[in-house]
Amino acid sequence: MSERGGGRSTDRFERKREAILDAATLILNREGVKGLTLGVAAAGVGLSTTSVTYYFKRKDDLAAACLMRGIAWLNAAADEALKAPTPPDRLHLLLSLHLERLSKAATGEGPAMPSLADIRALNNPWRGEVTEAFMKLFRKVRSLFDAPDMAWLGRGRRTARTHMLLEQLFWAGAWLPKYDPEDYPRIRDRMFDILVGGFATEGAEWAPAPAPLAELAAHDGTESGRETFLLAATRLINARGYKGASVDKISAALNVTKGSFYHHHDAKDDLVVACFDRTFEVMRRVQRLAMAQAGDQWTKLSSAAAALCEYQLSEFGPLLRTSALSALPEAMRDEQVAHSNRVSDRFASMISDGIAEGSIRPIDPAIAAQMLNATLNACAELGFWVPGVTQKAAPSVFARPLLMGVFTR
């Protein structure tokens, strides 16, 4: 599945254009749209900025071309996967193609896969064009579920499961580098096993404990104003991206002055970090409450997942999407990824304990925890993908398919 197939790959113009895109994709993945400039991309291939403008007139031309190339590859992978006869076969082939692609990038045999998390940071008309291309990809992946024996799965739930599946592909790029590329086929098999078989043992029921949302969001006195500020900022960043969530817009949403913003935070990067800190603290609070309740580890884990899904759609939510990571300077980003990994590690411990006691089936705890983390984070956008979904329905619509199997009723 070459991105440089046919006679065009021998053309000098196309070869140079592809080299620029290769270099720019690495910058885009590392620093986001905000950090991608024509000058930096030019330096990556030994050209002057003026030379790069021969291929891409503006920065957004270059960023959009990187993203569109990635979407085109995923479209081709989805086309190939849809040739398989059954939904599980299609999922297995899509995972195989994607991890093979990431493996080639990791070993230098192919260009990096662009992160699609920063589409919102593009200006129009580029943002609209890339978003439209992504929506076409989304609909194609959703057709993975098309089969007579899947007719029971309604459109809304099918859409939710597609959102969850794509999030697994995108987030895998963040945690796969801890493994050797030669292990990717084994990881593919474990991801597939988790997606199809879920976490639950045979006969287990989906009966999470009620979520104490007010307790999860509780803040006293002096912290309530800061919480309100961070929640407004989180909502804007999730909706419009780092670039679109300006200090003016955050202040206007709260009807406060810009001075109030700088009273809380020295710079916008500090605000993003504070929003991530809030996110991880809520997740840790949920984990602590779940671990303290009665019952086996399956009950505790499913209750934690359900609580976080409800929280995302509640008046207290959402939590900050991991897509905001690309906007942070590298040192800050690494620190927040470390926080995320600690949350995943605690989920992994709960899964390991469940496997030991027999309430969770034997799965890879580390991989399962990353996949759970990705699902819970992606739930922040469930209302966009499934308009009208209620807070109470969110756990069964979005968390249950991962925990009990994506093809399970």
Side-chain angles (χ1 to χ4, degrees):
M1 297 185 61
S2 173
E3 293 176 0
R4 307 188 179 94
R8 296 179 65 191
S9 65
T10 62
D11 181 83
R12 184 175 182 277
F13 178 90
E14 286 300 321
R15 288 201 309 272
K16 184 61 69 175
R17 183 179 185 277
E18 293 293 317
I20 294 169
L21 287 173
D22 290 352
T25 297
L26 293 173
I27 299 164
L28 183 71
N29 289 349
R30 187 173 63 247
E31 301 181 30
V33 170
K34 183 184 74 164
L36 176 62
T37 66
L38 294 180
V40 174
V45 288
L47 294 175
S48 67
T49 303
T50 303
S51 297
V52 170
T53 59
Y54 179 64
Y55 301 88
F56 303 98
K57 298 296 184 184
R58 298 176 181 84
K59 164 185 165 175
D60 275 350
D61 288 326
L62 177 57
C66 291
L67 295 169
M68 291 292 274
R69 188 172 69 158
I71 291 172
W73 187 88
L74 285 167
N75 257 309
D79 283 336
E80 191 70 21
L82 288 171
K83 295 176 184 177
T86 68
D89 291 335
R90 296 166 194 165
L91 175 58
H92 190 274
L93 184 50
L94 183 61
L95 283 172
S96 296
L97 293 170
H98 188 64
L99 265 70
E100 180 183 358
R101 176 70 168 74
L102 295 179
S103 176
K104 288 182 178 179
T107 57
E109 298 175 46
M113 189 72 185
S115 167
L116 303 182
D118 225 14
I119 293 176
R120 292 186 185 92
L122 292 170
N123 295 310
N124 276 321
W126 300 273
R127 181 169 68 242
E129 293 170 359
V130 176
T131 299
E132 182 180 357
F134 180 79
M135 294 303 290
K136 289 180 180 178
L137 167 67
F138 187 96
R139 289 190 289 271
K140 184 175 292 185
V141 174
R142 187 171 59 195
S143 65
L144 177 151
F145 291 99
D146 290 350
D149 60 352
M150 296 293 294
W152 56 268
L153 188 61
R155 181 181 178 85
R157 289 179 181 266
R158 187 174 304 202
T159 297
R161 293 178 193 215
T162 303
H163 175 41
M164 188 270 285
L165 287 178
L166 283 172
E167 194 66 24
Q168 301 307 329
L169 299 186
F170 301 151
W171 185 242
W175 56 264
L176 273 172
K178 68 185 286 187
Y179 297 93
D180 289 327
E182 65 190 56
D183 290 328
Y184 284 14
R186 177 181 61 83
I187 293 167
R188 181 269 324 278
D189 291 342
R190 295 188 174 191
M191 290 179 70
F192 178 75
D193 175 59
I194 290 165
L195 286 168
V196 174
F199 293 41
T201 57
E202 186 175 355
E205 295 184 359
W206 175 256
L213 299 185
E215 184 176 351
L216 296 176
H219 288 275
D220 55 20
T222 58
E223 284 296 307
S224 60
R226 185 172 184 272
E227 169 69 10
T228 301
F229 195 92
L230 293 178
L231 178 56
T234 295
R235 288 173 175 168
L236 273 171
I237 294 169
N238 282 357
R240 304 185 186 182
Y242 176 92
K243 184 177 179 181
S246 66
V247 174
D248 285 332
K249 289 174 181 174
I250 295 169
S251 300
L254 292 170
N255 196 27
V256 298
T257 64
K258 289 175 68 173
S260 298
F261 170 91
Y262 291 110
H263 172 72
H264 289 288
H265 305 284
D266 294 333
K268 195 170 168 185
D269 288 343
D270 296 323
L271 174 63
V272 176
V273 168
C275 289
F276 270 121
D277 287 344
R278 168 185 174 269
T279 290
F280 296 134
E281 176 51 36
V282 169
M283 296 186 77
R284 285 191 290 266
R285 202 176 301 147
V286 169
Q287 290 174 325
R288 288 194 294 269
L289 287 170
M291 292 169 73
Q293 73 181 42
D296 57 26
Q297 290 297 325
W298 161 248
T299 301
K300 294 177 181 181
L301 188 72
S302 58
S303 296
L308 283 166
C309 277
E310 282 200 48
Y311 188 96
Q312 293 277 35
L313 272 68
S314 75
E315 63 183 297
F316 308 111
L319 302 174
L320 191 62
R321 290 285 276 125
T322 51
S323 56
L325 284 168
S326 63
L328 289 174
E330 190 169 1
M332 286 183 171
R333 182 168 65 248
D334 289 346
E335 182 179 355
Q336 296 310 313
V337 169
H339 282 305
S340 177
N341 285 337
R342 284 196 286 274
V343 170
S344 289
D345 289 345
R346 182 175 284 175
F347 278 136
S349 294
M350 295 172 72
I351 294 166
S352 295
D353 290 345
I355 294 170
E357 73 181 10
S359 66
I360 293 176
R361 69 188 192 89
I363 53 178
D364 188 305
I367 294 174
Q370 288 288 356
M371 294 173 70
L372 178 59
N373 219 10
T375 299
L376 297 176
N377 188 264
C379 191
E381 293 181 353
L382 183 59
F384 169 81
W385 291 106
V386 187
V389 65
T390 66
Q391 171 188 320
K392 290 297 182 183
S396 64
V397 169
F398 204 63
R400 187 180 184 276
L402 176 70
L403 293 174
M404 301 199 76
V406 73
F407 300 117
T408 302
R409 281 182 182 267

